Amino acid sequence: MTQDSYVKGIKRIIINENEIKTKISEAGKYIDSLYDGRPILLVGILKGCFVFLSDLMRNVSVPCEVAFIAAQSYYDGIDSSGNVDIIMDLKKEVSGYHVIIVEDIIDTGRTLSEIFRRFKERHPLTLRVITLLDKPERRIIDFNADISLFTIEDIFVVGYGLDYGEYYRNLPYIAEFNAETIK
């Protein structure tokens, strides 16, 4: 991919860097109020969540551990395949933890509902979900996060950890993406 095609893929910025920082700060304070000093386990769903999780944990003052799992449903396209593959599962015992699953975006709900179900079976002390983005128009499985920072329309987005074919994760904002312009 050339630098010209990289830039051409961005249609418009929909959430700027300052808006993201403000919402993450608010979410960190809210999480602190929920757990009141009790330790938590933040479980990120790779790869898209890593930027969000990194900033979120720096805005939480309660003691926290971090772990990751990896799920895949998009592969290299812009549409979900409909299948959820857990390609790296958590080996840690979670029954003694207040677990917060950290996700970049809820789209169809398939991935998150499957991961939530798996974690619930492990009997954590509490189980919550926080997502950076929520796209309710695309929901196929009725699943909602406990905390959603932004609700967006049914558009394909990149930036702030979200990608198209592994590119665009490094953008400090969320942008609407137009794959047609880079072909």
Side-chain angles (χ1 to χ4, degrees):
M1 175 175 293
T2 67
Q3 187 172 5
D4 286 343
S5 62
Y6 194 73
V7 174
K8 284 181 187 175
I10 304 303
K11 188 171 181 181
R12 66 184 168 111
I13 295 172
I14 62 166
I15 305 169
N16 69 43
E17 191 173 359
N18 287 332
E19 291 170 310
I20 294 169
K21 284 180 183 176
T22 298
K23 286 286 193 176
I24 290 175
S25 174
E26 291 169 4
K29 289 175 186 162
Y30 180 66
I31 289 169
D32 285 346
S33 74
L34 287 175
Y35 295 98
D36 192 32
R38 294 175 293 162
I40 60 175
L41 174 63
L42 298 172
V43 178
I45 303 173
L46 293 174
K47 294 181 190 175
C49 81
F50 76 97
V51 176
F52 174 42
L53 187 142
S54 176
D55 286 346
L56 179 64
M57 70 181 222
R58 285 193 295 266
N59 280 275
V60 170
S61 62
V62 295
C64 66
E65 291 182 40
V66 176
F68 293 96
I69 64 171
Q72 193 169 22
S73 65
Y74 274 83
Y75 305 94
D76 287 330
I78 61 171
D79 293 310
S80 174
S81 68
N83 298 317
V84 177
D85 295 321
I86 306 299
I87 55 178
M88 182 182 82
D89 204 351
L90 188 68
K91 304 290 187 236
K92 184 179 216 51
E93 171 61 46
V94 299
S95 62
Y97 286 92
H98 296 281
V99 175
I100 301 175
I101 299 170
V102 181
E103 176 66 303
D104 57 353
I105 187 168
I106 303 177
D107 190 60
T108 64
R110 284 185 184 117
T111 301
L112 209 44
S113 66
E114 175 62 20
I115 290 169
F116 188 85
R117 181 192 64 76
R118 287 178 183 227
F119 271 87
K120 194 134 182 100
E121 290 173 353
R122 297 173 180 182
H123 306 289
L125 297 172
T126 58
L127 181 60
R128 289 190 168 90
V129 174
I130 184 170
T131 187
L132 176 65
L133 303 173
D134 186 9
K135 202 187 294 186
E137 290 176 46
R138 298 262 306 156
R139 202 75 87 243
I140 292 171
I141 304 291
D142 185 23
F143 188 90
N144 295 302
D146 297 286
I147 306 167
S148 293
L149 275 59
F150 299 96
T151 300
I152 63 169
E153 60 189 293
D154 184 12
I155 56 176
F156 191 83
V157 293
V158 295
Y160 201 72
L162 291 96
D163 74 304
Y164 173 74
E166 295 299 324
Y167 291 102
Y168 301 95
R169 293 186 196 277
N170 60 319
L171 299 175
Y173 49 78
I174 306 292
E176 182 177 2
F177 182 73
N178 185 354
E180 296 302 313
T181 61
I182 64 167
K183 292 182 179 177

